[in-house]
Amino acid sequence: MPGERLSIRDNSAVGRFHGVSGSNGQAIPETQSESKMKKEESGCRRWFRRACPCCFRRQNSSNDVTSDSEGVAVGGGENEGPTSPITATGDTELDELTLAVRSVNLLSRKSDRNKKEHHTDQYHSDQLIVRRGQTFQIELDLSRTFNPNTDKLHLELKTGPLPQVSKKTHIIIPLVDELEDERWEAKIVEQNINRVKLSVNSPVTAVIGKYKLTITTQCLKTGETTTHDSDKDIYMLFNPWCEDDTVYMESEKELKEYVLNDTGRIYYGTEKQIGARTWNFGQFDEGILEACLFVLDNSEVPPSGRGDPVNVVRVISAMINSPDDRGVLEGNWSGNYAGGTSPTAWSGSVEILRQYHREGGTPVKYGQCWVFSGVTTTVLRCLGIPTRSVTNFQSAHDTDVSLTTDVYFDENMEPIHHLNSDSVWNFHVWNDCWMARPDLPPGMGGWQAVDSTPQETSHGTFRCGPASLAAIRSGQVYLKFDTPFVFAEVNSDKIYWQRNPDSTFSQIHSEKKAVGHCISTKAVGSDERVDITHLYKYPEDSEEERIAVETACRYGSKPEVYSSPIAEDVRVEVMMEGEGPRMGGDAQLKIVVKNTSSQPRRTTLHSQVAVMYYTGVLKDTVKKDTLNVELKPQEEKTIDWVLPYTQYQNQLVDQAALMLTLSGRVSETQQVLASQTSFRLRTPDLEIEPIGEAYVGKETSAKITFTNPLPCVLRNVVIRVEGLGLRDLHPIRVGDVSKHANVTVTEHFIPTIAGKRKLVASLECKQLSQVHGVADIDVYESQ
């Protein structure tokens, strides 16, 4: 009926629809000819009018126009009376029936329900950021009231350069009466005249990334279809709060730590001298989410693979380093950092990721393992995967898949350097990330090791992991990905080989506790260090640990290593007092030799100490000694060993690390003694003292104090200061600092976020590295 089509409730409808009266609103009966004309028009003419309204109007411009007594135009021509509104198509009936989206509100403010429920309110972005497997809401402003009986509506989401329905990168979301789990659907939950609120559901397997949103509407009466492209995007992340997502983590405290905490601690040094530095992950900072997705885009891995966290982690492991895919960071262990930033000068990931994004994918200079790890933590937490930075002390680097760390000597017990490609790093920092592993046997889910530092290639690319910690612990190195490499890092035995006169090699000694000590990460909810070695391996010398080692080695390149065990009755050990030697002074250690037999023993110990990169690569030998030791039955001797400052002062590299190697042979039994001990020279901290109380939007200050520990002048000293919510990275050029001199600088900043924040500072100087400090700043809302 004509009356059913009317949406105009006043006299403006007069003259635009047959049968409308300007005087009393009563319908005027249609004549036979008018009815016939309508029937004829419902065919080709009606189609033509919809297809090309402009041409249709020109064709009908000769229609007669008459006026009623009120002066209101009556007829179908283009010269309508003054009370008729301008229409979009010239077909007013069609315009009244057409359903169009006028605007979209993604409800993406920090205070909106979406960001609160999806734990994305910390992101500094006005875009809609949601987590998969969980409903979110949007509002549509329509051109008229939505009628579910005569109107259709659906949403479309597209991600990637070539969205395809079959690849789950082009999503068509239907409107349904009731939402069901595990599928894309939308439901109207509120309707107020022309405005509707939709609740949209996504499956837990949804591809993560940035989606373009389009809304399509259709009027069933006319068949007219309209589309509306939203000017804002929707960002989809992994959802560790959703039980059905493979990254689900049950503990709220752990979620707060491993997903929502934007600062952390990274450990370094040696197992007896563990140092710690604060790292600003900054996963919620402005532009970081876009930068993280840019990293994924730059990998050239198709977006269709971004629904699987195993695949995403593997891609990120490859993309954080630069050798084969122009990833985020260029590694540099040379000591020469011209043209870039020294790895020890970084104290956060934000500037690194921003620079990489800003420069269109040019690798940032320079990184070493803790920088690679810090950036990896940022990216994975930003994308919604629980992640932590992990430090392994005495970390082995197995280069020949033997699952042992091999040390070769010649006939005179001198190291054969060109064969000693395996190394033991003082420390190495990588990451653990949390996820189920449906691709592995049951029980292999949970923490997975992933390493972005470029060491060895995996399937042709510098990457490592994710490797199940459960598989590593039990020696099941045949389970993917890169489990043998990580196993060797934490639990390989160090095997010593001596060259025979016929150029073959014989196994002369093995150390079963040489690698994988004090594996450390930041504790949940505090800045304390927690030892997680037990997650990577059973207690040393336990039956379970030996079984794991021998199980693993059966899959290595030297399965015969454990065929001939060697008896031992003389032990050698290196001891260090207190916190160990300090930078700028003589290094003093103690060598303890013990005879556990009932017979006397004689040995000659050869000692050499070399400056070492933290990766285990030796730079230069700075001192050699020969020690003759005679032991009575059950006797223990302690030998003082000293390395004067003058012998190492010009040889140090970034980490100020040294390695003492001892080797010898017991005359009576031909037992071989071999030991390698690494130690670092402790550096001072930067002391940071807040001045007064801090308020949002008001300038406050902090005093930074430093003492030069060296008996020489430090040249071109720069102190770099930053703090999330306090200030962006800011270099303070101090200049030269005299020997043993004290320096104090005052840093002024204006906090932008209330709460407990951390101000981090690091010192950049060619003669001295790994000097940094942190202070907690309590920021209050302004009065």
Side-chain angles (χ1 to χ4, degrees):
M1 293 292 294
E4 293 175 341
R5 295 198 301 268
L6 296 182
S7 61
I8 304 298
R9 293 181 291 275
D10 56 22
N11 285 353
S12 65
V14 176
R16 299 199 295 154
F17 293 95
H18 295 297
V20 174
S21 167
S23 58
N24 56 16
Q26 298 298 315
I28 301 173
E30 294 181 356
T31 65
Q32 247 185 347
S33 60
E34 287 173 332
S35 179
K36 183 178 179 181
M37 286 176 62
K38 286 185 67 176
K39 289 179 181 177
E40 289 175 352
E41 190 185 56
S42 64
C44 295
R45 284 170 58 82
R46 189 170 180 83
W47 174 87
F48 180 46
R49 179 172 60 177
R50 288 205 308 270
C52 190
C54 297
C55 298
F56 183 85
R57 286 202 301 273
R58 286 198 298 271
Q59 189 182 57
N60 291 277
S61 61
S62 60
N63 289 353
D64 293 332
V65 178
T66 60
S67 298
D68 64 4
S69 60
E70 299 292 329
V72 179
V74 178
E78 60 184 353
N79 299 317
E80 294 182 352
T83 60
S84 299
I86 297 173
T87 63
T89 67
D91 184 340
T92 55
E93 179 183 4
L94 187 63
D95 289 333
E96 292 300 327
L97 291 175
T98 298
L99 177 68
V101 176
R102 288 175 172 166
S103 64
V104 180
N105 183 357
L106 294 183
L107 306 175
S108 58
R109 295 175 302 178
K110 280 191 175 186
S111 58
D112 284 333
R113 177 178 165 185
N114 280 334
K115 286 194 171 179
K116 292 289 185 182
E117 290 185 349
H118 287 255
H119 303 91
T120 58
D121 51 316
Q122 292 187 53
Y123 287 87
H124 287 257
S125 172
D126 60 355
Q127 302 282 8
L128 176 58
I129 305 169
V130 295
R131 300 186 187 275
R132 64 186 192 176
Q134 186 174 341
T135 59
F136 61 93
Q137 295 186 339
I138 64 174
E139 284 184 348
L140 307 180
D141 187 19
L142 305 174
S143 59
R144 61 168 174 80
T145 302
F146 180 84
N147 184 343
N149 297 318
T150 59
D151 298 323
K152 279 190 173 183
L153 182 151
H154 74 266
L155 313 178
E156 293 187 41
L157 293 174
K158 297 178 181 179
T159 186
L162 294 171
Q164 298 179 53
V165 173
S166 61
K167 301 290 187 182
K168 299 182 179 180
T169 53
H170 179 184
I171 311 299
I172 300 173
I173 306 175
L175 200 62
V176 297
D177 294 331
E178 293 297 332
L179 297 177
E180 297 182 23
D181 293 337
E182 291 300 311
R183 63 183 65 186
W184 284 102
E185 292 174 326
K187 175 188 176 181
I188 296 177
V189 291
E190 288 182 24
Q191 186 166 357
N192 183 12
I193 310 177
N194 292 4
R195 180 168 295 173
V196 297
K197 180 180 283 187
L198 301 179
S199 182
V200 184
N201 190 45
S202 64
V204 293
T205 56
V207 169
I208 66 154
K210 180 172 70 173
Y211 286 86
K212 295 287 184 184
L213 171 64
T214 299
I215 302 100
T216 300
T217 56
Q218 182 182 27
C219 174
L220 296 179
K221 285 188 175 181
T222 64
E224 195 75 14
T225 298
T226 67
T227 60
H228 177 89
D229 295 322
S230 173
D231 60 351
K232 287 190 175 183
D233 300 320
I234 296 177
Y235 290 79
M236 182 68 67
L237 307 179
F238 292 108
N239 194 350
W241 282 268
C242 177
E243 291 187 10
D244 295 322
D245 199 317
T246 50
V247 299
Y248 171 68
M249 178 173 267
E250 185 177 13
S251 168
E252 279 294 332
K253 289 182 179 179
E254 291 185 338
L255 285 165
K256 187 175 180 181
E257 180 67 51
Y258 298 131
V259 181
L260 300 181
N261 195 351
D262 56 6
T263 62
R265 302 278 276 173
I266 295 179
Y267 299 93
Y268 66 95
T270 68
E271 60 181 299
K272 295 180 181 178
Q273 301 166 280
I274 296 176
R277 64 181 302 167
T278 298
W279 192 268
N280 286 330
F281 298 122
Q283 67 267 32
F284 306 119
D285 254 36
E286 186 176 359
I288 296 304
L289 176 56
E290 290 81 358
C292 293
L293 293 176
F294 174 76
V295 173
L296 280 176
D297 291 339
N298 227 25
S299 72
E300 299 183 357
V301 172
S304 57
R306 299 179 190 173
D308 181 3
V310 173
N311 190 43
V312 169
V313 164
R314 195 147 171 78
V315 169
I316 294 301
S317 171
M319 282 302 300
I320 297 302
N321 64 71
S322 68
D324 40 32
D325 44 25
R326 288 183 60 77
V328 176
L329 275 163
E330 181 178 324
N332 187 339
W333 288 264
S334 70
N336 178 10
Y337 307 117
T341 299
S342 166
T344 58
W346 297 112
S347 56
S349 310
V350 171
E351 183 55 35
I352 294 171
L353 287 165
R354 282 179 180 167
Q355 181 179 328
Y356 182 72
H357 191 196
R358 183 172 61 245
E359 297 182 1
T362 300
V364 178
K365 299 176 180 180
Y366 294 102
Q368 291 181 11
C369 71
W370 63 92
V371 189
F372 289 113
S373 173
V375 175
T376 299
T377 298
T378 298
V379 174
L380 295 184
R381 285 187 184 180
C382 184
L383 298 179
I385 300 176
T387 307
R388 62 191 183 189
S389 289
V390 171
T391 303
N392 177 38
F393 293 94
Q394 294 297 100
S395 184
H397 179 178
D398 175 23
T399 58
D400 60 359
V401 202
S402 64
L403 300 177
T404 56
T405 302
D406 299 299
V407 182
Y408 293 93
F409 294 92
D410 63 16
E411 295 84 349
N412 299 316
M413 291 299 294
E414 290 289 336
I416 306 175
H417 295 296
H418 71 277
L419 292 182
N420 290 332
S421 57
D422 287 356
S423 60
V424 178
W425 300 23
N426 283 344
F427 70 95
H428 180 44
V429 189
W430 62 70
N431 297 86
D432 285 346
C433 57
W434 182 272
M435 66 183 70
R437 289 297 300 269
D439 57 322
L440 299 182
M444 295 298 144
W447 289 115
Q448 314 286 314
V450 56
D451 193 347
S452 300
T453 301
Q455 297 179 82
E456 300 292 328
T457 59
S458 171
H459 297 162
T461 301
F462 281 103
R463 58 187 168 187
C464 180
S468 165
L469 265 60
I472 295 164
R473 191 170 191 248
S474 59
Q476 298 179 65
V477 297
Y478 46 83
L479 298 175
K480 59 184 182 181
F481 289 95
D482 308 309
T483 310
F485 186 80
V486 183
F487 178 90
E489 287 182 301
V490 300
N491 206 13
S492 58
D493 286 351
K494 183 180 282 190
I495 308 297
Y496 294 82
W497 305 84
Q498 185 177 22
R499 186 167 61 197
N500 300 316
D502 62 357
S503 295
T504 61
F505 284 87
S506 299
Q507 179 183 340
I508 56 174
H509 180 63
S510 66
E511 284 187 84
K512 296 180 175 60
K513 304 177 185 178
V515 305
H517 300 164
C518 302
I519 303 175
S520 302
T521 192
K522 176 186 173 299
V524 173
S526 79
D527 284 341
E528 297 301 312
R529 181 183 71 88
V530 61
D531 192 306
I532 58 170
T533 307
H534 63 283
L535 297 180
Y536 277 86
K537 60 183 182 179
Y538 292 101
E540 295 283 6
D541 281 340
S542 67
E543 185 177 3
E544 296 92 338
E545 188 262 346
R546 286 291 93 195
I547 290 172
V549 170
E550 293 181 24
T551 298
C553 284
R554 282 202 296 268
Y555 297 92
S557 60
K558 297 176 183 176
E560 73 285 350
V561 161
Y562 294 96
S563 58
S564 55
I566 299 172
E568 297 178 344
D569 58 19
V570 176
R571 298 175 184 170
V572 61
E573 184 180 5
V574 177
M575 306 289 289
M576 184 166 47
E577 292 184 348
E579 295 181 335
R582 298 184 67 89
M583 175 69 75
D586 295 346
Q588 299 184 8
L589 304 175
K590 294 183 182 298
I591 301 172
V592 179
V593 188
K594 184 174 183 179
N595 176 14
T596 62
S597 76
S598 58
Q599 301 295 321
R601 296 286 184 255
R602 290 179 297 121
T603 184
T604 299
L605 283 177
H606 304 274
S607 73
Q608 66 176 37
V609 63
V611 173
M612 181 179 61
Y613 295 99
Y614 82 96
T615 57
V617 177
L618 299 181
K619 180 190 176 191
D620 291 306
T621 299
V622 295
K623 180 184 178 183
K624 284 187 175 183
D625 277 320
T626 300
L627 305 171
N628 295 313
V629 182
E630 295 188 5
L631 297 169
K632 297 176 183 177
Q634 304 295 324
E635 184 181 10
E636 177 179 290
K637 281 190 175 179
T638 300
I639 303 164
D640 291 325
W641 181 90
V642 179
L643 175 64
Y645 171 73
T646 54
Q647 289 189 252
Y648 71 77
Q649 62 177 340
N650 297 321
Q651 299 291 334
L652 292 180
V653 291
D654 289 341
Q655 298 298 324
L658 300 109
M659 174 176 277
L660 174 62
T661 300
L662 300 173
S663 62
R665 188 185 300 276
V666 177
S667 301
E668 292 81 2
T669 63
Q670 299 302 298
Q671 175 193 344
V672 171
L673 301 176
S675 172
Q676 289 182 315
T677 302
S678 60
F679 60 97
R680 71 180 180 95
L681 301 165
R682 293 181 56 239
T683 53
D685 293 328
L686 291 175
E687 300 293 336
I688 305 176
E689 180 184 351
I691 302 174
E693 292 187 332
Y695 293 90
V696 172
K698 296 182 179 180
E699 184 176 281
T700 188
S701 306
K703 184 170 67 176
I704 304 171
T705 305
F706 164 70
T707 301
N708 178 9
L710 302 183
C712 64
V713 176
L714 300 180
R715 305 290 183 187
N716 301 317
V717 174
V718 176
I719 295 177
R720 296 156 61 96
V721 185
E722 68 174 313
L724 299 175
L726 298 175
R727 70 158 305 118
D728 290 336
L729 181 64
H730 176 226
I732 304 172
R733 304 197 179 279
V734 177
D736 295 346
V737 179
S738 301
K739 64 179 182 179
H740 302 307
N742 292 319
V743 173
T744 299
V745 297
T746 301
E747 175 68 359
H748 303 279
F749 52 95
I750 300 175
T752 58
I753 300 174
K756 188 177 287 293
R757 315 306 297 171
K758 290 183 183 294
L759 188 67
V760 181
S762 62
L763 182 140
E764 187 173 3
C765 171
K766 186 169 182 61
Q767 299 99 323
L768 190 63
S769 64
Q770 285 291 16
V771 177
H772 38 77
V774 61
D776 289 327
I777 309 286
D778 291 316
V779 181
Y780 303 98
E781 295 286 0
S782 296
Q783 301 296 327

